[in-house]
Amino acid sequence: MTSPLTQADIDREIAEVHTARGGAAADHPDRDFAPYRSSVLRHPKQPLVALKDPEAAELTGPVFGVADVSPFDSDLTRQHLGEPLGERITVQGRVLDRDGRPVRGQLVEIWQANASGRYLHQRDDHPAPLDPNFTGVGRCLTDEEGRYTFTTIKPGAYPWRNHVNAWRPAHIHFSVFGTAFTQRLVTQMYFPNDPLFPYDPVLNSVTDERARQRLVCAYDHGLSVPEWTLGYRWDIVLDGPAATWMEEGR
């Protein structure tokens, strides 16, 4: 019988991969990063299949329109009759291209755990309380400056079954669409000085230290709203040497 993986096992594997890479830059994390066990099981193992009619994917795939996005969708604290529990935060940033120019009118979506570290999802059976006043999803369109803004609750850390005593740092999932559904990019935003950073194989699948730091937001006191929210700023750069690392290749 195989012994359960411990944090020490995962730490050793992460160190080996990072040492082998030497902090070298890459376009995106490995899809089969061994310390992140489920990535090994689900990453593509066959060559990509070329589409004979690329437009067919757009004609038959999901669509969205400007009229579908409500101004209230970006405030996750006002989506229910009562107020959610936890620390209110404002998260704001800009979506930029490689030259620092704003990317306007882009659909930005977020989803996250509640303040107790639990998702409103049938597969999340973590024994932490659900919050009846917090669904954990929001969206908005970037403005003329490429800016997005969300009001939400700071998510809690939560356990996952990658190995014994595995915990994910607090994070918010971000999705950015281009001009078509197939241009969707997905990433995660983390919070400063989280003690779980060294132990998390998801974050450490990004082997470039500078790129990992670009996934961490910054506290912005000027963005904090008096007696209401603490402010965090995080820009998303879509391409180039300062690009935000995504869960899929560009």
Side-chain angles (χ1 to χ4, degrees):
M1 183 176 179
T2 305
S3 300
L5 284 169
T6 66
Q7 185 67 55
D9 296 325
I10 297 299
D11 292 346
R12 183 176 60 255
E13 291 181 1
I14 290 173
E16 290 172 352
V17 176
H18 283 214
T19 299
R21 292 293 180 85
D27 291 334
H28 54 75
D30 291 343
R31 292 188 173 93
D32 56 347
F33 185 71
Y36 180 6
R37 281 299 186 265
S38 62
S39 71
V40 178
L41 299 175
R42 68 172 184 252
H43 82 284
K45 295 181 175 62
Q46 301 297 327
L48 297 177
V49 177
L51 294 175
K52 295 181 180 179
D53 183 8
E55 293 184 356
E58 296 303 329
L59 294 174
T60 60
V63 296
F64 62 89
V66 174
D68 295 331
V69 181
S70 161
F72 302 102
D73 290 346
S74 61
D75 190 341
L76 284 68
T77 70
R78 297 180 181 271
Q79 296 175 345
H80 300 275
L81 294 177
E83 294 186 3
L85 298 175
E87 177 186 320
R88 291 192 205 92
I89 61 174
T90 297
V91 180
Q92 186 180 99
R94 301 175 71 202
V95 180
L96 305 168
D97 68 12
R98 65 182 299 146
D99 297 315
R101 295 173 298 195
V103 183
R104 306 175 179 90
Q106 298 302 290
L107 179 64
V108 180
E109 297 178 329
I110 63 170
W111 63 99
Q112 62 170 95
N114 65 19
S116 298
R118 187 169 177 184
Y119 290 93
L120 183 61
H121 192 282
Q122 61 183 357
R123 294 188 63 184
D124 188 349
D125 56 2
H126 170 207
L130 289 171
D131 188 337
N133 294 310
F134 190 76
T135 303
V137 295
R139 58 184 181 171
C140 70
L141 295 172
T142 57
D143 64 15
E144 288 301 306
E145 297 299 321
R147 187 181 297 108
Y148 70 85
T149 304
F150 291 100
T151 302
T152 185
I153 297 295
K154 187 175 182 181
Y158 59 81
W160 61 311
R161 298 183 177 92
N162 189 72
H163 54 278
V164 175
N165 204 23
W167 289 82
R168 296 271 2 252
H171 61 278
I172 297 177
H173 299 266
F174 274 75
S175 164
V176 181
F177 284 90
T179 58
F181 187 81
T182 53
Q183 296 173 352
R184 185 189 190 205
L185 297 174
V186 177
T187 187
Q188 298 181 25
M189 184 200 82
Y190 298 84
F191 293 86
N193 305 313
D194 194 311
L196 292 172
F197 283 166
Y199 308 105
D200 182 40
V202 178
L203 178 60
N204 284 286
S205 67
V206 181
T207 54
D208 181 347
E209 170 63 24
R210 294 165 299 179
R212 282 201 302 278
Q213 291 304 314
R214 292 198 293 272
L215 294 175
V216 181
C217 64
Y219 174 70
D220 187 335
H221 197 64
L223 187 58
S224 297
V225 180
E227 302 184 34
W228 190 250
T229 67
L230 294 178
Y232 292 91
R233 189 170 299 279
W234 189 61
D235 291 342
I236 300 172
V237 182
L238 298 181
D239 197 9
T244 303
W245 276 43
M246 304 292 174
E247 293 176 13
E248 299 292 339
R250 292 175 188 82

